[in-house]
């Protein structure tokens, strides 16, 4: 199964590249059943193989997530909670999920926009709730776009650091949740920095 997933994603990235990442994340954040974490982690692995370039991958992922969450916010701002309750189930956003996220949003407010990307099922609802509550766009954008950037970079670095073990990131997150992600992110970033430092030193030694 792992080989099949890898082959499918490889063909997808070879055919659509950065544009495919952008539109996949836009639609995924809006609420369509697209495996965002799987795509992002594999994109990080593709970066480690030289198939993709990190700056362009981060940019396409960030813009896709930012556009997706902005669309969700705009829809909720204009049509409100009744539309979400009616259409949500078609995008796997159930009334129960909306209710639980409402409680979190009431407690943590805009901070949920920042960390909501890391919580499966929550990131698809937070922007809608921000729009429903008539949160100002400037305040929404600060937290939502910062979260989009952190989420994109985190999964790309993890995929790049773990290379062939990239799929284990998604498996462990589903089993152990946000705690593993935070620890894994820290480790992934340290490994990435160490690799850059080692490569830079080896280049200096050769010259």
């Amino acid at each position: 199964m792992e080989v099949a997933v890898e082959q499918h994603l490889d063909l997808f990235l070879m055919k659509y590249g950065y544009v495919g990442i952008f539109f996949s994340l836009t639609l995924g954040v809006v609420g369509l059943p697209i495996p965002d974490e799987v795509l992002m982690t594999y994109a990080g692995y593709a970066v480690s193989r030289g198939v993709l370039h990190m700056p362009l991958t981060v940019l396409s992922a960030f813009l896709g997530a930012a556009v997706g969450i902005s669309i969700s916010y705009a829809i909720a701002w204009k049509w409100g909670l009744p539309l979400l309750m009616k259409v949500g189930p078609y995008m796997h956003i159930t009334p129960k999920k909306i209710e639980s996220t409402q409680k979190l949003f009431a407690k943590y407010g805009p901070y949920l926009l920042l960390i909501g990307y890391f919580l499966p099922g929550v990131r698809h609802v937070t922007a809608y709730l921000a729009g429903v509550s008539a949160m100002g766009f400037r305040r929404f954008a600060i937290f939502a776009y910062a979260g989009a950037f952190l989420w994109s970079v985190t999964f790309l670095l993890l995929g790049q650091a773990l290379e062939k073990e990239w799929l284990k990131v998604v498996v462990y997150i589903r089993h152990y949740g946000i705690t593993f992600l935070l620890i894994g992110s820290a480790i992934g970033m340290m490994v990435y920095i160490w690799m850059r430092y080692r490569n830079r030193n080896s280049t200096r030694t050769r010259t």
Side-chain angles (χ1 to χ4, degrees):
M1 182 178 178
E2 182 176 338
V3 175
V5 172
E6 186 168 330
Q7 289 177 343
H8 178 75
L9 289 172
D10 209 36
L11 289 171
F12 176 82
L13 290 179
M14 287 178 63
K15 186 174 183 179
Y16 300 108
Y18 306 109
V19 175
I21 292 173
F22 170 82
F23 282 107
S24 294
L25 293 185
T26 296
L27 297 174
V29 173
V30 168
L32 295 185
I34 295 173
D36 303 326
E37 289 96 346
V38 176
L39 175 61
M40 291 299 296
T41 311
Y42 187 77
Y45 173 43
V47 169
S48 73
R49 292 157 46 211
V51 176
L52 299 174
H53 298 287
M54 180 62 87
L56 291 175
T57 308
V58 170
L59 181 63
S60 59
F62 165 71
L63 290 177
V67 169
I69 203 168
S70 298
I71 291 173
S72 301
Y73 171 84
I75 290 173
W77 179 281
K78 185 168 185 179
W79 288 291
L81 190 60
L83 178 66
L84 180 60
M85 297 293 288
K86 185 177 182 180
V87 179
Y90 296 102
M91 301 186 294
H92 301 283
I93 301 176
T94 62
K96 184 178 180 180
K97 190 176 293 183
I98 294 171
E99 183 181 353
S100 61
T101 307
Q102 275 182 310
K103 292 177 181 177
L104 288 172
F105 197 82
K107 188 174 182 180
Y108 299 107
Y111 298 104
L112 191 62
L113 288 167
L114 185 65
I115 65 170
Y117 288 90
F118 298 96
L119 305 174
V122 172
R123 68 172 167 272
H124 304 119
V125 185
T126 51
Y128 288 109
L129 295 181
V132 167
S133 63
M135 178 185 289
F137 180 77
R138 183 177 179 181
R139 192 181 187 199
F140 161 80
I142 290 172
F143 288 93
Y145 295 168
F149 180 77
L150 289 173
W151 177 73
S152 301
V153 171
T154 296
F155 276 94
L156 288 172
L157 288 179
L158 284 172
Q160 184 183 31
L162 293 177
E163 296 185 343
K164 291 183 179 180
E165 304 298 319
W166 65 275
L167 191 57
K168 289 184 179 180
V169 175
V170 182
V171 175
Y172 283 133
I173 288 171
R174 289 175 180 173
H175 280 282
Y176 302 108
I178 191 69
T179 302
F180 167 80
L181 178 59
L182 295 175
I183 296 173
S185 301
I187 295 173
M189 288 181 185
M190 286 190 290
V191 171
Y192 176 74
I193 292 170
W194 176 77
M195 289 174 63
R196 291 293 298 271
Y197 177 78
R198 185 187 65 176
N199 292 337
R200 187 176 298 175
N201 282 346
S202 63
T203 303
R204 288 177 181 174
T205 304
R206 290 173 186 172
T207 56

